[in-house]
Amino acid sequence: MNKKEKTSKNKIEELEEKIIDLSLKLRTKNIELEEVQKRNKTILSKLIHNIKNPIGVIFSFSEIMLESAEDYTSDKLKKHAQIINNSADFSIQFLNSLANYTRIHSQNFNLNKSSNNYIETVQSAIAFYKETAAKKNIELSKNFNEKPIFLNIDHSEILKVLKAIIHNAIRYSKSNTTIKISISQDKKNITTTITDQGIGISEVDLPNLCNEFFVVNTYSEDKQKCIGLSLNLANKILKLHNGYIKINSIIEQGTSVSIILPIK
């Protein structure tokens, strides 16, 4: 084989390697595209399923109110208006959660990390739900040292995680109970545990709680079903911080949700 033939052969081999490499990259992109399409299909399906019922309720009761407005007593009017309000509130919450879900699962999403006093972040989450808890006579009991602990976190996103967990604890707790918020620390992690005295979760459902759109077949005291995204979003944010979520629960005795974040 002369020099010219050898050079030509080498170029062909290089070209073949590039083609193989491009084929592999194209295959990877196709798989990613299929996953995005699958997720979008799931989102659209859940959107239709979750919005159709409350909008139907709003339409039905508003139509009844318009048709028989003259016969309405103040009690009946208040009752039906509350049903409409609850359905509208659920719809808005679902759309907000869906928008947040889409944002966080986007390939362009990035955390905005900086050094933050984590204790202040926890305090802010507790303060936000103080009045909501008071309406059910629920005590938000703080069990931690208020000495500053600085972590490299996205304050806004971690605050959303804490608020989501506390909100769930309040929703699924009975009136006149206590929700304990404790913080512990070891050499590697900061653990924040929110423990309620609520309705609890079965062992069968526990492994699926962080799955997107997973809904336990139980109702809160306000007779509203959950959306099935808060724990999925919380888990996603914690994973992006190299942390994780841990849940323990006993039916009719309560639930403990632990948020674990690395110190470094």
Side-chain angles (χ1 to χ4, degrees):
M1 183 182 294
N2 58 41
K3 186 176 181 180
K4 186 176 180 180
E5 289 175 335
K6 192 172 183 180
T7 301
S8 179
K9 184 180 179 182
N10 288 338
K11 286 184 177 180
I12 290 171
E13 288 176 351
E14 287 177 7
L15 184 60
E16 287 176 343
E17 287 178 3
K18 287 181 179 179
I19 291 172
I20 291 170
D21 183 54
L22 287 171
S23 296
L24 290 172
K25 287 180 179 179
L26 180 60
R27 185 180 178 185
T28 301
K29 289 297 179 183
N30 282 334
I31 292 172
E32 290 177 358
L33 180 60
E34 286 175 4
E35 286 298 317
V36 171
Q37 290 174 336
K38 184 179 178 182
R39 180 176 293 159
N40 288 342
K41 187 177 180 181
T42 300
I43 290 173
L44 182 60
S45 175
K46 293 294 181 181
L47 174 61
I48 293 170
H49 175 76
N50 282 280
I51 292 297
K52 189 176 181 180
N53 185 56
I55 288 179
V57 170
I58 291 169
F59 178 79
S60 296
F61 276 90
S62 61
E63 193 172 51
I64 292 169
M65 290 170 73
L66 288 170
E67 288 177 352
S68 55
E70 294 178 359
D71 301 325
Y72 261 80
T73 62
S74 59
D75 287 342
K76 188 177 180 181
L77 179 63
K78 186 176 180 181
K79 182 180 179 181
H80 285 189
Q82 188 62 56
I83 291 171
I84 290 173
N85 183 265
N86 290 342
S87 296
D89 182 59
F90 175 86
S91 300
I92 292 168
Q93 284 187 46
F94 179 77
L95 290 172
N96 286 338
S97 295
L98 195 60
N100 201 27
Y101 170 86
T102 303
R103 179 181 66 87
I104 289 172
H105 283 81
S106 167
Q107 291 183 343
N108 298 322
F109 176 75
N110 291 305
L111 293 174
N112 184 24
K113 287 185 178 182
S114 62
S115 180
N116 285 274
N117 181 1
Y118 180 66
I119 298 299
E120 286 186 356
T121 305
V122 176
Q123 297 271 37
S124 295
I126 295 170
F128 185 85
Y129 281 111
K130 188 175 180 180
E131 287 186 14
T132 304
K135 289 178 182 178
K136 294 177 68 175
N137 199 28
I138 292 174
E139 179 188 0
L140 297 179
S141 174
K142 295 184 286 186
N143 184 24
F144 54 85
N145 191 323
E146 296 186 10
K147 182 180 178 181
I149 298 174
F150 287 92
L151 299 179
N152 186 35
I153 57 173
D154 186 321
H155 166 77
S156 176
E157 298 301 335
I158 292 299
L159 180 60
K160 288 176 185 175
V161 170
L162 290 161
K163 285 165 70 174
I165 305 304
I166 294 172
H167 177 250
N168 280 346
I170 294 170
R171 280 195 68 193
Y172 293 97
S173 287
K174 297 175 182 178
S175 299
N176 307 307
T177 56
T178 299
I179 294 173
K180 295 180 181 178
I181 299 99
S182 62
I183 299 174
S184 60
Q185 180 178 354
D186 57 27
K187 292 181 180 180
K188 294 183 178 180
N189 301 311
I190 296 290
T191 300
T192 306
T193 303
I194 294 119
T195 303
D196 64 50
Q197 298 171 315
I199 61 177
I201 303 158
S202 72
E203 289 185 16
V204 175
D205 290 324
L206 276 175
N208 301 311
L209 288 179
C210 290
N211 294 345
E212 55 193 17
F213 299 109
F214 178 79
V215 177
V216 177
N217 192 29
T218 53
Y219 287 84
S220 62
E221 281 201 336
D222 58 6
K223 305 301 179 185
Q224 292 290 323
K225 293 194 75 171
C226 71
I227 293 167
L229 284 177
S230 62
L231 288 177
N232 174 267
L233 292 173
N235 194 43
K236 175 72 174 178
I237 291 299
L238 290 173
K239 282 184 177 180
L240 290 172
H241 282 84
N242 297 316
Y244 60 97
I245 195 169
K246 184 179 178 182
I247 305 171
N248 293 304
S249 187
I250 300 174
I251 288 288
E252 296 301 329
Q253 292 188 35
T255 301
S256 288
V257 180
S258 294
I259 297 164
I260 297 94
L261 286 165
I263 295 173
K264 294 183 180 180

